[in-house]
Amino acid sequence: MSCASATLVVWTSAWLHGAAAADDVLDALGFWAGLHEVVADDDGTATALDLPGPDERPVGPALLLAALRRADATTARMVLPIPGDVRGLGGKGPLSRFALSVGNAAVLPEVGIGLVPKLVADGVLRWTVFDLPAVTAVEHVPIGEAEHGLASAMREAATALVTLDVARHRPNVRAEIAELSSEHSKLAWPAGMPPRALRVLQRAAEVAAILAVAATDAPGGAMSASAQAGRDDALRPLSEAVRRARLAAVDEAVRVLSDQAAGRH
């Protein structure tokens, strides 16, 4: 329901501002895979960060953190690219193409890199480090606006379940949704994580669970092409609301953790 990039962005930002230890970052990443490995996409990025190149043996994430510290990184952002919107990834190129295929990425504008996670084997998550060709503006979604949009989406989701008649075909659908959304509660976050960001992430997980169940129920009782199109139209805004909410919540978490750190100095 969440993604590895959200964990990396929030925890790494906390660590860079002294609000978490390096071991805390590594422990949090363990939720996504038992083994994480890091490799640069090209030799230039590898040389700049002293990381292995594409034809070399990957290293662990601890060496990635060390490289970010040496490069004077200060913060990170999550990007959730979709077809037609790859803002924040520096335009067309290897980074945006790979991130689009995976669905999420972490970018560190000050360092000029982007990181994309992908499962390459059972229990093995590889972070590929790409050059960020340009720092492009991204849309800032205020968390209040995202939360309001998500609340509306949740009401629409409830209506969509009835309209699509998912419950009739799957009697245990509510239990499925609850189980999927509860996965989010198992994620670890820094001690200073703002409650509002946590709330929005949880609500996004609930709507995402509804979408996941509805997707596996396709065509959801639709008996005609027009009914199928209506089903897709009903679900599409919910997906975008989840995306915006997750981006806003992670941005808010990074902002608050950074401000908390600044107040300690």
Side-chain angles (χ1 to χ4, degrees):
M1 294 296 104
S2 185
C3 63
S5 290
T7 296
L8 182 72
V9 165
V10 173
W11 276 99
T12 299
S13 294
W15 170 70
L16 289 170
H17 289 89
D23 285 346
D24 295 331
V25 182
L26 303 181
D27 288 345
L29 289 173
F31 175 87
W32 298 103
L35 177 64
H36 289 252
E37 56 184 39
V38 179
V39 65
D41 177 66
D42 63 274
D43 292 332
T45 302
T47 300
L49 294 174
D50 194 19
L51 291 172
D55 298 322
E56 298 179 286
R57 185 183 182 88
V59 296
L63 292 183
L64 170 64
L65 295 182
L68 296 180
R69 182 71 82 189
R70 289 194 303 271
D72 296 324
T74 59
T75 191
R77 285 184 63 98
M78 180 174 73
V79 181
L80 300 176
I82 57 174
D85 186 359
V86 293
R87 285 175 293 181
L89 295 174
K92 296 180 180 180
L95 171 58
S96 60
R97 286 195 298 270
F98 194 44
L100 186 59
S101 70
V102 173
N104 66 97
V107 298
L108 291 95
E110 301 91 349
V111 184
I113 61 169
L115 301 102
V116 183
K118 183 178 182 179
L119 282 170
V120 294
D122 186 26
V124 181
L125 187 69
R126 176 175 295 172
W127 293 86
T128 303
V129 185
F130 291 85
D131 174 60
L132 182 65
V135 179
T136 53
V138 295
E139 178 187 12
H140 172 68
V141 181
I143 192 167
E145 177 183 320
E147 187 172 22
H148 176 75
L150 195 55
S152 298
M154 290 181 72
R155 290 191 295 270
E156 293 171 11
T159 302
L161 278 178
V162 175
T163 302
L164 301 174
D165 207 10
V166 173
R168 181 169 69 87
H169 296 282
R170 298 169 68 158
N172 298 320
V173 65
R174 297 196 182 281
E176 291 181 55
I177 292 170
E179 183 178 357
L180 283 172
S181 62
S182 69
E183 285 296 308
H184 175 80
S185 64
K186 300 175 184 177
L187 287 169
W189 299 106
M193 188 77 167
R196 191 174 196 182
L198 285 173
R199 183 173 70 245
V200 171
L201 285 172
Q202 182 59 47
R203 289 181 177 174
E206 293 166 2
V207 178
I210 292 172
L211 288 166
V213 170
T216 58
D217 191 65
M223 301 302 293
S224 67
S226 60
Q228 176 69 47
R231 174 186 183 278
D232 293 343
D233 289 343
L235 295 178
R236 193 172 296 111
L238 308 185
S239 179
E240 180 59 19
V242 168
R243 176 175 175 257
R244 288 170 61 85
R246 290 167 66 196
L247 289 169
V250 169
D251 279 353
E252 177 72 359
V254 169
R255 183 190 68 79
V256 170
L257 290 167
S258 301
D259 288 350
Q260 289 174 352
R264 288 194 295 268
H265 297 294

